[in-house]
Amino acid sequence: MNKPKVLITGASKGLGLAIARKLDTEYCLILHASKSENIIELREGNFVLAADLSNADELSEFCKKLKSEHGDDLYAVINNAGISIDKPLAFQPERDIDHMIMVNLKAPIMISKTAIKLFGLKNKGVILNVSSCVAETGNAFQSIYAATKAGLIAFSKSMAKEAGELYAGHQIRILSISPGFIKTSMTDQIPELHREKYLKMIPAQRFGTAEEIAETVAFLLSEKASYINGSNIEVNGGLF
Ligand SMILES: NC(=O)c1ccc[n+]([C@@H]2O[C@H](COP(=O)([O-])OP(=O)(O)OC[C@H]3O[C@@H](n4cnc5c(N)ncnc54)[C@H](OP(=O)(O)O)[C@@H]3O)[C@@H](O)[C@H]2O)c1
């Protein structure tokens, strides 16, 4: 029997790559990055589907290919690709605002729109949107990033309810996960002063690892999590 397929966006590095490594044996992966050559690991036995998600035409083509090339076996979508361009709002160029909204919010919405139609036909599937702790806490100089991530939580909760209305007796789950501060290239950019401030807010007194997020994602995709739906799961070392 064919392995169920799982799309992971932003699988070239950081959380996406750790998630891909964790899921590799159980699922057939559709590995996404902005460019095909950015996917270096795990190509064998899996698929690569590239698109710059800030580009509307590439996003539309990506969704078409997802449906035509992988629609039959698609079991789950992990909307993980994301970008943070940190600045005071007063000095944030509009193109940065559009870029973050497109990659972090519109792309997950359009990919979910493609996936939910396929899942509706089979009455089965999981959409997992990668949000962030700042969606609930807020963060200075990340107002747009935080807004996109808060949007993902509301989107996931609404979609879970919508699936309940539309697909009776279904096994479709739509969730979000809010990582805290996790060691990746995204958090490598945090200045030392801010890093110390954040560490004081984390009872675990350390940043998390991408592998710790991957473990949670693997659980949420599995049958063991069959009654978790519409929830936002915080994985943040107790951050307050
Ligand atoms: N690290 C943390 O502490 C943390 C905390 C909370 C939430 N998150 C969220 O977790 C997710 C992964 O973060 P990360 O730390 O692993 O970040 P990362 O190491 O910077 O990786 C980002 C991924 O997103 C992809 N991506 C970025 N812009 C893209 C675009 N325009 N088109 C297509 N793909 C694009 C990148 O692909 P390319 O390599 O091709 O550019 C890369 O695979 C993000 O949604 C982030 O907001 C992270």
Side-chain angles (χ1 to χ4, degrees):
M1 205 177 77
N2 289 345
K3 287 182 187 174
K5 287 183 181 169
V6 176
L7 166 68
I8 307 168
T9 68
S12 57
K13 57 185 176 178
L15 303 190
L17 178 57
I19 292 167
R21 285 177 181 150
K22 176 71 191 168
L23 301 183
D24 183 40
T25 46
E26 197 170 344
Y27 302 96
C28 174
L29 305 178
I30 306 161
L31 302 163
H32 159 270
S34 61
K35 296 191 186 88
S36 173
E37 60 266 30
N38 291 358
I39 299 291
I40 293 162
E41 272 191 51
L42 304 170
R43 294 182 80 108
E44 204 181 316
N46 294 314
F47 296 89
V48 173
L49 205 53
D52 178 349
L53 299 179
S54 69
N55 179 305
D57 293 338
E58 288 196 32
L59 172 59
S60 167
E61 193 56 30
F62 178 83
C63 290
K64 280 188 202 149
K65 279 190 184 162
L66 180 65
K67 183 181 170 199
S68 63
E69 294 175 14
H70 304 290
D72 290 345
D73 308 318
L74 192 67
Y75 165 64
V77 163
I78 303 169
N79 282 312
N80 163 77
I83 182 137
S84 179
I85 309 167
D86 302 350
K87 282 194 180 75
L89 182 61
F91 302 104
Q92 189 112 49
E94 190 172 347
R95 66 170 182 280
D96 287 359
I97 297 173
D98 290 341
H99 192 103
M100 281 187 275
I101 291 174
M102 191 70 190
V103 176
N104 296 359
L105 190 57
K106 179 142 188 212
I109 288 172
M110 297 312 289
I111 294 168
S112 299
K113 179 175 156 72
T114 305
I116 196 72
K117 282 191 197 157
L118 300 165
F119 295 167
L121 296 173
K122 295 179 276 200
N123 265 2
K124 191 176 170 85
V126 181
I127 298 173
L128 178 57
N129 293 309
V130 179
S131 178
S132 166
C133 55
V134 302
E136 292 191 64
T137 61
N139 204 16
F141 315 125
Q142 286 196 318
S143 58
I144 307 305
Y145 175 75
T148 61
K149 294 298 182 179
L152 277 183
I153 296 175
F155 174 68
S156 308
K157 286 183 186 297
S158 303
M159 285 298 296
K161 291 190 176 177
E162 188 172 300
E165 300 265 339
L166 292 179
Y167 311 109
H170 68 81
Q171 295 174 54
I172 299 172
R173 296 183 293 119
I174 297 116
L175 303 153
S176 56
I177 181 170
S178 285
F181 292 94
I182 312 298
K183 274 180 267 173
T184 67
S185 57
M186 191 178 266
T187 47
D188 283 348
Q189 302 163 19
I190 298 174
E192 196 53 38
L193 199 66
H194 290 181
R195 189 177 293 272
E196 282 167 25
K197 181 180 84 179
Y198 295 143
L199 279 174
K200 288 193 184 120
M201 295 156 60
I202 305 170
Q205 292 185 0
R206 62 173 177 86
F207 281 11
T209 65
E211 290 71 29
E212 287 172 312
I213 301 302
E215 288 293 337
T216 309
V217 169
F219 167 71
L220 291 173
L221 250 56
S222 75
E223 287 294 322
K224 291 175 192 164
S226 54
Y227 205 55
I228 304 180
N229 189 15
S231 313
N232 180 53
I233 308 296
E234 297 180 355
V235 187
N236 59 22
L239 177 83
F240 57 84

